[in-house]
């Protein structure tokens, strides 16, 4: 499933604070200079200062969420998947939107919040702004995030992989797995057995489904999973990288987001 696809994670507090400042300034500039949603009709002392105060409704949630997501990241074996990212972006926006509504009630208009008022706020202010804010936030997280790889030693064990066809199954030990390549609706799995034999199996499946059954593998490209133990050489750079594996006759491309993480991972190889 695409929801289980590994994606970049903003692990650094420095980058998170930088993203938070960008988004808070972004909100302030829009409200003060563009004055959307009839903001120009609002007249009160210190109007611009109060409008700038909405930035606090961004700063507080983003810093709070980062504390929680780092814990969540560690509990998911230091792998950040697409569904984690979507959840954080969705929950984060509604958290921000709720604080903006409360700020509007208590600071801007001095009125008590109500459920009806929150519903009206979501329909006329929150949801129309969601597409712009979430898209910009998602881009910043992707831009300043990175794919990290766990340095934890993986225990060798017998693995059973099932394909989509009836009775389609192969078994092997983890340290025999070299790589897997996706092509259309099929997966080629390359093994190097205990008897020093090179084997290739083809199953009807997708890379994401294979990754669900083989989470200890390392994704280096949308079409490739590898076992980093078999890496012979990492070539190229972030823009155009590739990895050479022992016991297979092909060069595996490495996507830019995976290159830096893979390079760092190799530093811990014996």
């Amino acid at each position: 499933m695409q929801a289980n696809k590994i994606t970049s994670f903003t692990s650094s507090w420095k980058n998170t604070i930088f993203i938070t400042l960008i988004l808070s300034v972004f909100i302030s500039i829009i409200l003060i200079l563009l004055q959307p949603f009839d903001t120009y009709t609002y007249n009160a002392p210190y109007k611009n200062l109060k409008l700038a105060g909405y930035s606090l409704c961004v700063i507080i949630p983003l810093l709070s969420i980062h504390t929680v997501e780092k814990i969540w990241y560690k509990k998911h074996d230091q792998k950040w998947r697409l569904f984690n990212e979507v959840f954080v972006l969705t929950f984060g926006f509604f958290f921000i939107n709720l604080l903006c509504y409360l700020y509007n009630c208590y600071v801007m208009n001095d009125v008590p919040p109500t459920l009806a008022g929150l519903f009206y706020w979501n329909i006329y202010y929150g949801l129309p702004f969601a597409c712009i804010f979430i898209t910009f936030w998602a881009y910043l997280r992707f831009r300043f995030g990175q794919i990290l790889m766990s340095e934890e030693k993986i225990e060798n064990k017998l693995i059973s992989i099932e394909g989509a066809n009836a009775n389609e199954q192969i078994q092997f030990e983890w340290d025999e797995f070299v790589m897997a390549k996706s092509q259309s609706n099929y997966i080629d799995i390359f093994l190097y057995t205990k008897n020093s034999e090179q084997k290739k199996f083809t199953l009807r499946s997708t890379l994401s489904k294979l990754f669900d059954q083989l989470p200890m593998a390392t994704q280096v490209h949308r079409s490739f999973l590898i076992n980093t133990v078999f890496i012979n050489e990492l070539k190229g750079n972030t823009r155009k990288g590739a990895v050479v594996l022992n016991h297979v006759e092909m060069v595996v491309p490495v996507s830019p987001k995976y290159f830096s993480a893979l390079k760092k991972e190799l530093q811990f190889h014996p």
Side-chain angles (χ1 to χ4, degrees):
M1 296 173 61
Q2 282 295 109
N4 285 323
K5 180 182 178 182
I6 297 295
T7 189
S8 57
F9 176 63
T10 314
S11 62
S12 164
W13 270 106
K14 177 182 177 182
N15 288 342
T16 298
I17 291 172
F18 186 59
I19 290 171
T20 301
L21 290 176
I22 291 176
L23 289 172
S24 59
V25 170
F26 173 68
I27 291 291
S28 298
I29 289 175
I30 287 180
L31 292 176
I32 294 173
L33 297 184
L34 302 182
Q35 299 197 17
F37 310 121
D38 296 332
T39 306
Y40 60 88
T41 63
Y42 176 80
N43 292 306
Y46 309 108
K47 174 182 175 179
N48 288 342
L49 183 61
K50 287 183 177 180
L51 290 175
Y54 276 104
S55 62
L56 294 174
C57 301
V58 174
I59 295 172
I60 294 171
L62 263 59
L63 297 183
S64 301
I65 287 171
H66 186 61
T67 302
V68 176
E69 69 179 352
K70 283 180 74 71
I71 298 173
W72 195 14
Y73 171 72
K74 289 180 180 179
K75 287 188 175 182
H76 278 74
D77 300 322
Q78 297 187 28
K79 290 183 179 179
W80 194 249
R81 293 176 168 81
L82 187 59
F83 77 85
N84 299 110
E85 187 71 5
V86 171
F87 179 84
V88 166
L89 292 172
T90 304
F91 174 79
F93 178 77
F94 281 106
F95 187 7
I96 291 169
N97 190 50
L98 175 61
L99 288 189
C100 285
Y101 171 67
L102 296 176
Y103 183 88
N104 180 267
C105 290
Y106 289 120
V107 178
M108 301 296 291
N109 294 304
D110 193 22
V111 296
T114 64
L115 288 177
L118 179 59
F119 177 79
Y120 176 88
W121 176 271
N122 281 321
I123 296 298
Y124 292 96
Y125 300 106
L127 293 179
F129 196 65
C131 292
I132 298 174
F133 184 85
I134 292 178
T135 300
F136 189 33
W137 185 17
Y139 166 75
L140 291 174
R141 285 174 63 90
F142 179 81
R143 173 65 178 79
F144 294 102
Q146 59 180 160
I147 294 175
L148 303 173
M149 297 177 185
S150 174
E151 299 162 15
E152 184 179 353
K153 182 177 173 60
I154 300 171
E155 181 183 354
N156 192 36
K157 61 180 181 179
L158 185 66
I159 298 166
S160 295
I161 302 296
E162 297 182 354
N165 296 330
N167 300 320
E168 194 175 36
Q169 183 184 71
I170 63 170
Q171 289 187 329
F172 53 87
E173 292 187 4
W174 161 245
D175 61 5
E176 295 179 318
F177 174 78
V178 181
M179 61 163 280
K181 177 184 178 182
S182 171
Q183 44 186 357
S184 187
N185 293 322
Y186 290 88
I187 296 289
D188 290 333
I189 297 176
F190 297 81
L191 304 177
Y192 186 70
T193 70
K194 300 292 186 183
N195 299 323
S196 300
E197 294 180 320
Q198 299 177 20
K199 291 188 176 181
K200 173 185 171 184
F201 296 91
T202 300
L203 300 177
R204 185 176 176 83
S205 185
T206 62
L207 200 71
S208 59
K209 289 181 180 178
L210 176 63
F211 194 42
D212 289 341
Q213 301 177 75
L214 201 64
M216 66 282 288
T218 299
Q219 185 168 9
V220 295
H221 186 272
R222 65 172 182 241
S223 300
F224 290 90
L225 293 178
I226 69 169
N227 184 344
T228 56
V229 171
F230 288 96
I231 292 179
N232 179 272
E233 181 185 5
L234 180 63
K235 303 168 64 176
N237 51 42
T238 304
R239 290 182 176 272
K240 190 175 181 180
V243 66
V244 178
L245 300 174
N246 293 321
H247 314 303
V248 291
E249 297 179 358
M250 71 172 68
V251 176
V252 178
V254 179
S255 299
K257 271 292 177 180
Y258 294 99
F259 188 88
S260 298
L262 192 58
K263 185 175 181 179
K264 184 178 179 181
E265 165 78 2
L266 293 180
Q267 294 175 1
F268 298 93
H269 276 200

